[in-house]
């Protein structure tokens, strides 16, 4: 059976992504960083790595794509996880006892409206929402609360004092699943790639039109300046296509009008909430 | 004198951005999250807020731009900070004594090659590199080390055991400086804005050409799907222009081909390393 590795601890949103994506019973390993997770895949300790790429507390798409390129990995799937922050404390503790609240700083930031009702609570930022839940569980103190996911509360045996306290009702983090080799499942409609271009609108639009003419819809574009090269920009793009044929011919044309080009993978397209 | 607020603690890269941007002696306040920092600006406790928007350990451009829009703030400047991770410990401690290393998980990840020489060290992720340095200083233990900036070592009285241990020689985080009102300094060459579009390559290229015809160079583009609206995408863009005139006329045309449009500010353009 395949083994998967994610960066984080049990109860984290990364673990939720892995649980949602893989069949029940898939062994899940933990890693202490994105780089460590990729190392475990490279060395064969795991067969899949789960990494956040969008709207995440720590996920910088550039860092993740850089790791994929460095290791030569390919994206084989994606998974959206709904971010629903809850306030949790030891069983039996109630709201009036809380004096301190721990969470990732984005958990604190995203729950600002709710926390506005409790201006006296000390805010304690920690590196991960699940780590905050773990800390509260280990503290044994009824005066401490954590902001983390419902799953983190379950995992660390905490009671939920208030559910869904983040401002935005709909907030998703996108995770990608990568492997050492590319996979071509049926129904693989999404394609991720990166290329570099001299940064003129003309050259960008020329490349985008090539994809459009090939029936591929742009669903994500992100640029990043390359620190060591003047006027050269790195683009990360996702497309969705309904054509089953391989886009090799298209990629040849794209290679001609880009400076460097890398195919990152073709995989089934998912939507948030599914 | 103007007061500025940043999200983080002394010794963090955010503080470095503030120190580099503002004249010496500018009072600098700390906040526990991006949202808290913006609140201090909104309520007049501070006159400027410093927020990371690119390549940052915690900076999600979407969250920051969402806060700017919600509060109606404007970008008035930018500052790049070079990320140079150092390994630091209590004065007198040496490498052979270290058993545990604390840092933000990206600090650990970005120093993987160096840490590969010390596979036995326990990795302890914390929420911020400066918080790792503070923790080592407070621990009093010669067996603990932190990965953080040179400035964090100075601030917390630690000695540097190894300098510049991150993989990439050149690694910058971009911060923006925002205020309650827009400012139009002379030499304000950079313009930031956001708009929504139905996501077709045609509509995107049409808007990009309007900017090109007006002599504005695209230097950054990023798209984000809007969770609640099918096929509608939010774009964040930065342009650089040498024309001193106000782009109001251009913005009128852009408004006609976009769904929502917001001008985020015009400010002096800086480069990494300056």
């Amino acid at each position: 059976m395949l083994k998967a590795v994610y960066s984080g601890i049990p109860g984290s949103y990364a673990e939720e992504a892995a649980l949602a994506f893989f069949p029940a019973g898939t062994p899940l390993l933990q890693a202490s960083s994105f780089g460590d997770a990729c190392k475990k895949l490279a060395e064969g300790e795991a067969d899949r790595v789960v990494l956040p790429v969008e709207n995440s507390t720590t996920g910088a798409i550039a860092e993740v794509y850089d790791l994929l390129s460095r290791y030569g990995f390919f994206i084989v799937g994606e998974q959206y996880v709904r971010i629903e922050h809850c306030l949790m404390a030891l069983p039996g503790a109630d709201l009036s006892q809380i004096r301190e609240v721990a969470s990732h700083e984005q958990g604190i930031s995203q729950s600002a409206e709710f926390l506005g009702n409790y201006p006296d609570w000390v805010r304690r930022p920690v590196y991960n929402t699940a780590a905050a839940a773990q800390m509260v569980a280990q503290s044994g103190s009824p005066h401490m609360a954590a902001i983390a996911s419902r799953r983190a509360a379950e995992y660390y045996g905490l009671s939920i004092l208030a559910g869904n306290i983040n401002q935005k009702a709909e907030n998703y983090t996108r995770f990608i699943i990568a492997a050492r080799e590319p996979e071509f499942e049926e129904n693989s409609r999404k394609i991720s790639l990166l290329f570099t271009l001299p940064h003129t609108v003309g050259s960008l639009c020329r490349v985008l039109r090539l994809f459009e003419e090939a029936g591929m819809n742009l669903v994500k574009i992100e640029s990043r300046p390359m620190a060591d090269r003047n006027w050269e920009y790195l683009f990360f793009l996702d497309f969705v296509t309904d054509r089953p044929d391989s886009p090799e011919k298209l990629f040849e044309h794209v290679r001609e009008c880009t400076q460097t080009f890398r195919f990152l993978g073709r995989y089934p397209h998912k939507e948030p909430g599914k």
Side-chain angles (χ1 to χ4, degrees), chain A:
Chain A
M1 185 173 234
L2 288 180
K3 273 182 284 190
V5 58
Y6 63 90
S7 170
I9 62 174
S12 61
Y13 289 108
E15 190 209 27
E16 266 187 57
L19 290 169
F21 187 84
F22 296 105
T26 302
L28 300 182
L29 313 182
Q30 286 109 43
S32 61
S33 67
F34 301 160
D36 184 34
C38 286
K39 204 165 156 246
K40 284 189 161 64
L41 175 60
E43 292 173 355
E45 239 184 283
D47 310 290
R48 296 286 184 271
V49 62
V50 180
L51 296 165
V53 287
E54 257 170 61
N55 189 29
S56 124
T57 48
T58 54
I61 191 174
E63 190 193 351
V64 168
Y65 278 20
D66 185 50
L67 282 167
L68 296 188
S69 299
R70 212 176 331 141
Y71 280 104
F73 294 157
F74 293 89
I75 304 174
V76 298
E78 65 179 346
Q79 183 65 49
Y80 289 85
V81 173
R82 180 153 181 233
I83 305 301
E84 189 201 332
H85 295 313
C86 300
L87 186 80
M88 56 196 69
L90 287 178
D94 70 55
L95 266 174
S96 65
Q97 292 177 280
I98 303 304
R99 306 224 181 90
E100 188 172 336
V101 59
S103 188
H104 188 281
E105 64 178 345
Q106 290 204 335
I108 294 173
S109 188
Q110 290 162 1
S111 310
E113 230 162 86
F114 174 84
L115 289 176
N117 302 319
Y118 306 97
D120 296 337
W121 291 1
V122 175
R123 275 84 165 143
R124 179 162 353 164
V126 295
Y127 81 100
N128 177 291
T129 55
Q134 187 184 39
M135 193 172 84
V136 169
Q138 288 172 351
S139 75
S141 163
H143 306 303
M144 283 204 62
I147 296 172
S149 69
R150 201 167 283 279
R151 163 145 180 90
E154 267 166 41
Y155 192 90
Y156 295 104
L158 301 177
S159 296
I160 291 178
L161 298 181
N164 214 353
I165 61 171
N166 37 321
Q167 260 107 325
K168 284 197 190 165
E170 295 286 309
N171 188 7
Y172 290 90
T173 292
R174 179 178 173 236
F175 290 84
I176 51 134
I177 290 84
R180 286 180 298 271
E181 303 295 335
E183 280 197 356
F184 298 100
E185 279 187 50
E186 248 185 288
N187 195 30
S188 284
R189 296 177 58 229
K190 196 158 185 177
I191 291 174
S192 293
L193 42 87
L194 59 84
F195 54 69
T196 56
L197 276 182
H199 203 296
T200 67
V201 164
S203 65
L204 176 61
C205 284
R206 191 151 59 116
V207 179
L208 293 181
R209 279 192 206 290
L210 285 176
F211 287 100
E212 190 177 44
E213 283 160 19
M216 289 172 63
N217 288 317
L218 178 69
V219 291
K220 163 113 194 126
I221 179 170
E222 207 166 314
S223 71
R224 195 75 41 175
M226 298 186 69
D228 47 347
R229 289 186 240 172
N230 263 338
W231 305 113
E232 202 173 304
Y233 280 73
L234 180 61
F235 290 88
F236 309 114
L237 300 103
D238 290 340
F239 293 91
V240 169
T241 180
D242 285 320
R243 300 209 188 163
D245 50 316
S246 162
E248 260 317 311
K249 188 124 199 123
L250 164 66
F251 287 174
E252 263 172 51
H253 292 302
V254 174
R255 273 198 187 90
E256 281 163 25
C257 20
T258 54
Q259 285 165 318
T260 58
F261 172 85
R262 188 171 133 76
F263 166 70
L264 288 167
R266 182 168 181 161
Y267 49 96
H269 177 47
K270 288 195 183 167
E271 303 270 356
K274 275 162 205 167

